[in-house]
């Protein structure tokens, strides 16, 4: 069996490659999305490419920040769990950038032509570099992969490490005591929802100011889309990387969370492919705000309802999760 220290070194190398990838991707994406001159020359400035790239632009820096913070607690108890969870978070970064890059290449090869300038060449060259970095990070991540099913044995999580790091600050101790941390674990869904709503409100406000939106329905729609897609991302990424290790889910909670994740993903996909969906039914492009709201949110509600029914119909399986411990080694 490969020594643990080699696994740890492989994980750190993979995380470093993913962080480099995140930095390059974010710099190029922010430039292409928020500079008017550069955006006019961007092949992926319109949907469905923009919707996918925009989600990655929002999620990647937060995941990168969490990975960096996790490295400060690298030698704390729970090393095997920490290495696996951090590698999964780095893998999520690489996957998001990889999917966004695939959409960008699709835009370069098949989208409606744009007025090519020097910036177009810069963006395409940056896309090529990003794609190579993503491939390299993926190779390193494969080297530190863990066996299937090992996530069910997690006993440490990112939340415990955050509490440990916060104890080095002058914050009140009651914010980081085990009772408070356990309370957050029990109410993780409410925490994810609150974070998503606050972030969605901020993004909707910034968009309404930046684009000078005056239609209340359009602003509200934008807020709902951002909040639901962010909540779906929180639920899915938590299941992948174990940010908060929670008690085993009962059938009702599993149905609710499956419904929310599926509905949020469906809303985002409907936003990205709204014109293609209407074209499949012989309809023209979306031109009215009520039509946009009905199509996208209707798709999300329908997908959420179907996912809830299916989740309730399937019996819950034991997950094998153990109660997270504070300051206790996992092996």
């Amino acid at each position: 069996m490969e020594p643990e220290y080699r696994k740890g070194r492989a994980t750190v190398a993979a995380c470093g490659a993913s962080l480099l990838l995140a930095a390059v991707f974010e710099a190029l994406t922010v430039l292409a999305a928020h500079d008017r001159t550069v955006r006019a020359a961007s092949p992926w400035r319109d949907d469905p490419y923009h919707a996918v790239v925009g989600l990655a632009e929002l999620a990647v820096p937060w995941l990168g920040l969490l990975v960096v913070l996790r490295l400060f607690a690298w030698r704390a108890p729970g090393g095997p769990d920490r290495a696996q969870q951090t590698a999964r978070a780095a893998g999520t970064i690489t996957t998001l950038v990889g999917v966004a890059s695939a959409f960008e290449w699709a835009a370069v090869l098949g989208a409606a032509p744009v007025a090519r300038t020097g910036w177009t060449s810069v963006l395409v060259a940056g896309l090529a570099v990003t794609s190579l970095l993503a491939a390299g990070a993926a190779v390193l991540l494969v080297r530190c992969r863990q066996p299937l099913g090992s996530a069910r044995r997690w006993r440490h999580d990112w939340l415990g490490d955050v509490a440990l790091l916060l104890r080095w600050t002058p914050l009140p101790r009651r914010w980081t005591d085990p009772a408070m941390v356990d309370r957050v674990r029990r109410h993780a869904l409410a925490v994810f929802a609150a974070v998503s709503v606050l972030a969605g409100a901020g993004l909707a406000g910034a968009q309404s100011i930046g684009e000078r939106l005056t239609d209340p329905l359009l602003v509200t729609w934008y807020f709902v889309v951002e909040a639901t897609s962010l909540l779906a991302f929180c639920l899915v990424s938590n299941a992948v990387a174990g940010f908060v290790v929670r008690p085993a889910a009962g059938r009702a909670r599993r149905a609710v969370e499956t419904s929310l994740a599926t509905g949020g993903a469906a809303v985002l996909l409907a936003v990205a492919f709204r014109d293609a969906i209407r074209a499949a039914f012989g309809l023209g492009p979306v031109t009215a705000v009520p039509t946009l709201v009905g199509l996208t949110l209707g798709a999300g509600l329908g997908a959420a309802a179907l996912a809830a029914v299916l989740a309730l119909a399937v019996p819950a399986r034991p997950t094998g999760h153990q109660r997270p411990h504070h300051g206790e080694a996992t092996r």
Side-chain angles (χ1 to χ4, degrees), residues 39-49 103-116 120:
R39 182 173 182 176
S42 172
W44 50 84
R45 64 185 179 185
D46 298 320
D47 287 332
Y49 318 105
F103 271 76
E104 290 175 344
W105 280 118
V108 171
L109 299 175
V114 298
R116 292 185 63 90
T120 308

Side-chain angles (χ1 to χ4, degrees), residues 236-296:
V236 173
S237 62
N238 188 66
V240 171
F243 296 113
V244 180
V245 175
R246 307 161 65 189
R251 181 175 294 186
R253 195 189 89 188
R254 182 163 57 91
V256 168
E257 295 186 358
T258 301
S259 175
L260 291 171
T262 304
V267 168
L268 184 63
L269 289 174
V271 171
F273 295 98
R274 57 188 182 273
D275 290 336
I277 293 172
R278 283 177 59 85
F281 291 94
L283 302 174
V286 176
T287 57
V289 174
T291 303
L292 175 66
V293 173
L295 173 64
T296 55

Side-chain angles (χ1 to χ4, degrees), residues 118-203:
W119 280 114
T120 308
S121 300
V122 171
L123 292 176
V124 174
L127 174 58
V129 172
T130 302
S131 301
L132 290 174
L133 289 175
V139 170
L140 292 175
L141 285 165
V142 169
R143 292 178 56 193
C144 59
R145 68 186 184 277
Q146 297 291 334
L148 286 175
S150 57
R152 298 181 180 182
R153 300 190 295 270
W154 287 339
R155 299 181 67 192
H156 293 76
D157 60 8
W158 303 65
L159 179 61
D161 285 354
V162 169
L164 177 65
L165 293 173
L166 288 178
R167 291 187 181 186
W168 300 345
T169 70
L171 293 174
R173 293 300 181 199
R174 67 177 181 276
W175 291 11
T176 59
D177 63 23
M180 176 61 72
V181 173
D182 286 339
R183 192 174 300 117
V184 173
R185 289 194 178 104
R186 290 195 304 271
H187 301 286
L189 177 58
V191 174
F192 293 152
V195 170
S196 300
V197 167
L198 289 174
L203 290 169

